[in-house]
C-alpha cells in the first residue's frame, strides 16, 4: 500500500548546462530501462535500487557510461585531481605503515580508482623514494584496483601503463594483507531514503507518473510506503525526530564494510583508510538536517534532484561514519582512528612535502600551496571530509592520536 506520491518538477527549478543530443539520447535510454524495472516490480522500486541503476546500469549508468566525470571537464573534483601532494602523502604513510607493522604485506588495494590519478601519484612517489634510497619498504609487490566501471578501468589502464605491478579486480579478493585505500568510495554507494510520517517511518521509493498515453513512460515520482524496522535501526533516537524528517540510511555501505572485514580478517594484517565527506551519527541525524544530505553533481553544479538527466549526473549522499565504524567492528576489525581530513593529512606530513618546493620559488610554490589549502582548510575539504581507519594486526603511528575523534562516533 503506497502512503503517498510526490512529484518533483526539476525543469522549473534548475538552470543547468544543456546536455548534448547524444547525451540526452543515452539518458532517455536509461530512463526507459529504469521505467521497465519499475513496471516489472509492480510500480515501485526502492530508492537504493533506483540509485544503483542511475550509477551502475551497464553502458548507461553514470559510472559505467562514457561521459567524463572528474576534473575541470567533468562534474566534480576529488583530492587527487586537485594536487599530487595527496597521493604523495599517502605513499609516504604507506611506507611507514609497512615498515612499522610486520604483519602487513607490501601490497596496496584501492577501491574505485576514478581516473587512476591517485594510484599514479602514489606509485610515482614510491618509485622516486626508492630511487633516492629513502624508502625502506621498497615498491609494493602489487597495486590492486577494484573497479566496476569498464570505462574508468580503460582510462586507468592508459594512465598506469608504466606501472606493471597494477592489477585490476572485478570483486574483493577472499583475503588481503597490506594497505587499503578508498577515496570517495562510500558516498558513491546507493542509499535508502526514509521519512518520518504521521503514523511512523516510511521508505521513499520511485515510481512512474501516469501520462495517459499508451506505451509512453511518465516522469519519475517519489512514492512512500511503510518502512521495515531494520532500515530505521541505523538512526539513533529515531522516534525523537519530528514528522517530515527525511534522511538516508546506508545498508549497501554497511554490507560493504562487513565484506571488507571478512577479507581483512582472512589476511595476516591490514590498515584500511577511507576518505569521504560525512558526519558521525549524532551530527548526521540532527533536526537541522531534516531534509537529508542527498545531492547531485552535474558539470560542477550541485542540486537536489536525482530525477534530472538520469545517467548524466552523479548522485551521492554524505557518509554516516558511526554506521561504517560499527559495521567494521561487527565484522571483527579494529577501529584505528577517525579524524578530519585536515588533521590526518597534516599528521601524515603533507606540509613537509609541500616544502620540497622552496617558497622563494613563488611560481612553482603558490599553486601547490593553494591546492593544499583546498584539502586542509575548514572552509574547503579539511573539515567536511573525514578519514576513517580500520584494520587488523596493525595500528596507525602514535602521532595520529593527537587529533583522533573516535569518541564522537
Amino acid at each position: 500500500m503506497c502512503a503517498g506520491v510526490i512529484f518533483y518538477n526539476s525543469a522549473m527549478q534548475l538552470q543547468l548546462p544543456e546536455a548534448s543530443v547524444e547525451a540526452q539520447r543515452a539518458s532517455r535510454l536509461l530512463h526507459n530501462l529504469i521505467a521497465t524495472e519499475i513496471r516489472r516490480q509492480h510500480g515501485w522500486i526502492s530508492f537504493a535500487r533506483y540509485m544503483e541503476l542511475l550509477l551502475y546500469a551497464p553502458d548507461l549508468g553514470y559510472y559505467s557510461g562514457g561521459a567524463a566525470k572528474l576534473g575541470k571537464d567533468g562534474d566534480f573534483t576529488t583530492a587527487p585531481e586537485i594536487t599530487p601532494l595527496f597521493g604523495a602523502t599517502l605513499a609516504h604513510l604507506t611506507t611507514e605503515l609497512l615498515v612499522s607493522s610486520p604483519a602487513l604485506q607490501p601490497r596496496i588495494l584501492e577501491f574505485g580508482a576514478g581516473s587512476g590519478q591517485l594510484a599514479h601519484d602514489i606509485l610515482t612517489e614510491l618509485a622516486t623514494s626508492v630511487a633516492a634510497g629513502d624508502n625502506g619498504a621498497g615498491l609494493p609487490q602489487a597495486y590492486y584496483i577494484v573497479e566496476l566501471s569498464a570505462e574508468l578501468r580503460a582510462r586507468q589502464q592508459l594512465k598506469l601503463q608504466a606501472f606493471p605491478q597494477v592489477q585490476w579486480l572485478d570483486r574483493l579478493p577472499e583475503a588481503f594483507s597490506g594497505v587499503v585505500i578508498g577515496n570517495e568510495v562510500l558516498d558513491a554507494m546507493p542509499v535508502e531514503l526514509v521519512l518520518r510520517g504521521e503514523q511512523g517511518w516510511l521508505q521513499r521509493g520511485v515510481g512512474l507518473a501516469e501520462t495517459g498515453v499508451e506505451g509512453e513512460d511518465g516522469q519519475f515520482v517519489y512514492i512512500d510506503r511503510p518502512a521495515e524496522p531494520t532500515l530505521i535501526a541505523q538512526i539513533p533516537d529515531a522516534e525523537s525526530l519530528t514528522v517530515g524528517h527525511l534522511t538516508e540510511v546506508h545498508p549497501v555501505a554497511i554490507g560493504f564494510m562487513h565484506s571488507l572485514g571478512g577479507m581483512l580478517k582472512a589476511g595476516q594484517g591490514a590498515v584500511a583508510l577511507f576518505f569521504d565527506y560525512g558526519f558521525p551519527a549524532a551530527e548526521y541525524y540532527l533536526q537541522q538536517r531534516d531534509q537529508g544530505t542527498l545531492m547531485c553533481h552535474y558539470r560542477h553544479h550541485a542540486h537536489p534532484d536525482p530525477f534530472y538527466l538520469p545517467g548524466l549526473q552523479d548522485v551521492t549522499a554524505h557518509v554516516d561514519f558511526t554506521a561504517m565504524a560499527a559495521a567494521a567492528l561487527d565484522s571483527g576489525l579494529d577501529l584505528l582512528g577517525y579524524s578530519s581530513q585536515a588533521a590526518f593529512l597534516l599528521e601524515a606530513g603533507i606540509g613537509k612535502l609541500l616544502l620540497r618546493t622552496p617558497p622563494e620559488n613563488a611560481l612553482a610554490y603558490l599553486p601547490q600551496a593553494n591546492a593544499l589549502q583546498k584539502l586542509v582548510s575548514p572552509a574547503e575539504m579539511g573539515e567536511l571530509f573525514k578519514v576513517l581507519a580500520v584494520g587488523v594486526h596493525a595500528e596507525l603511528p602514535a602521532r595520529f592520536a593527537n587529533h583522533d575523534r573516535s569518541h564522537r562516533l
Side-chain angles (χ1 to χ4, degrees), residues 322-376:
T322 299
M324 300 305 107
L329 292 171
D330 289 345
S331 65
L333 298 181
D334 299 320
L335 175 59
L336 306 181
Y338 170 69
S339 71
S340 69
Q341 177 173 282
F344 188 90
L345 291 177
L346 291 170
E347 291 292 358
I350 196 170
K352 294 179 181 178
L353 294 181
L354 171 65
L355 291 177
R356 294 187 302 191
T357 301
E360 295 78 17
N361 184 357
L363 191 62
Y365 177 81
L366 287 178
Q368 295 188 55
N370 289 337
L372 186 150
Q373 183 74 1
K374 291 182 180 179
L375 299 188
V376 302

Side-chain angles (χ1 to χ4, degrees), residues 5 9 16 40 43 80 96 105 140 145 148 226-227 293 344 358 368:
V5 177
N9 189 347
L16 300 175
R40 186 182 297 123
E96 186 176 2
Q105 298 296 306
I145 294 177
L148 302 180
T293 70
F344 188 90
Q368 295 188 55

Side-chain angles (χ1 to χ4, degrees), residues 56-356:
Y56 302 108
D59 300 321
L60 296 174
Y62 181 76
Y63 287 111
S64 53
K69 298 159 182 69
L70 304 172
K72 63 181 179 63
D73 296 325
D75 301 308
F76 57 90
T77 300
T78 63
E81 308 294 328
I82 293 172
T83 172
L85 289 173
F86 183 76
T89 303
L90 295 188
H92 285 277
L93 178 58
T94 295
T95 297
E96 186 176 2
L97 291 170
L98 294 177
V99 170
S100 62
S101 302
L104 272 63
Q105 298 296 306
R107 300 183 181 91
I108 299 173
L109 187 153
E110 183 183 356
F111 291 107
S115 68
Q117 188 66 50
L118 179 56
H120 178 274
D121 293 341
I122 290 174
L123 290 168
T124 298
E125 184 69 22
L126 289 173
T128 301
S129 297
V130 168
D134 298 331
N135 187 340
L139 284 170
Q141 295 173 356
Y143 192 113
Y144 299 106
I145 294 177
V146 178
E147 181 58 69
L148 302 180
S149 166
E151 184 265 334
L152 287 176
R153 179 183 292 204
R155 292 180 62 186
Q156 295 159 12
Q157 290 172 337
L158 184 63
K159 182 96 176 170
L160 300 170
Q161 56 188 329
F163 301 101
Q165 63 268 62
V166 179
Q167 302 177 40
W168 280 264
L169 306 175
D170 294 319
R171 61 183 64 86
L172 274 66
E174 293 185 4
F176 179 79
S177 176
V179 177
V180 176
I181 298 172
N183 181 57
E184 296 197 48
V185 170
L186 298 174
D187 70 83
M189 296 184 181
V191 297
E192 295 287 8
L193 299 182
V194 293
L195 173 72
R196 181 69 191 274
E198 294 280 358
Q199 306 300 321
W201 282 93
L202 303 171
Q203 180 180 2
R204 176 156 288 184
V206 179
L208 290 169
E210 296 292 337
T211 65
V213 179
E214 185 176 354
E216 181 177 309
D217 293 323
Q219 69 183 87
F220 295 128
V221 294
Y222 287 128
I223 300 177
D224 299 335
R225 57 173 53 177
E228 295 292 332
T230 53
L231 282 180
I232 310 307
Q234 182 183 320
I235 306 173
D237 300 321
E239 298 312 310
S240 68
L241 298 178
T242 58
V243 171
H245 194 116
L246 175 69
T247 190
E248 307 89 26
V249 290
H250 303 76
V252 176
I254 289 172
F256 167 80
M257 293 300 289
H258 283 139
S259 297
L260 175 80
M263 179 186 75
L264 300 188
K265 288 286 289 182
Q268 300 176 12
V271 173
L273 304 172
F274 292 97
F275 297 77
D276 229 312
Y277 43 90
F279 312 98
E283 299 174 25
Y284 199 104
Y285 300 105
L286 285 172
Q287 186 62 44
Q288 68 193 55
R289 201 167 281 118
D290 64 353
Q291 293 306 298
T293 70
L294 192 78
M295 191 58 61
C296 308
H297 299 274
Y298 177 68
R299 298 192 188 177
H300 295 279
H301 290 73
H303 68 89
D305 180 10
F307 298 155
Y308 182 77
L309 291 178
L312 302 188
Q313 62 174 359
D314 188 25
V315 180
T316 180
H318 286 49
V319 176
D320 175 353
F321 280 105
T322 299
M324 300 305 107
L329 292 171
D330 289 345
S331 65
L333 298 181
D334 299 320
L335 175 59
L336 306 181
Y338 170 69
S339 71
S340 69
Q341 177 173 282
F344 188 90
L345 291 177
L346 291 170
E347 291 292 358
I350 196 170
K352 294 179 181 178
L353 294 181
L354 171 65
L355 291 177
R356 294 187 302 191

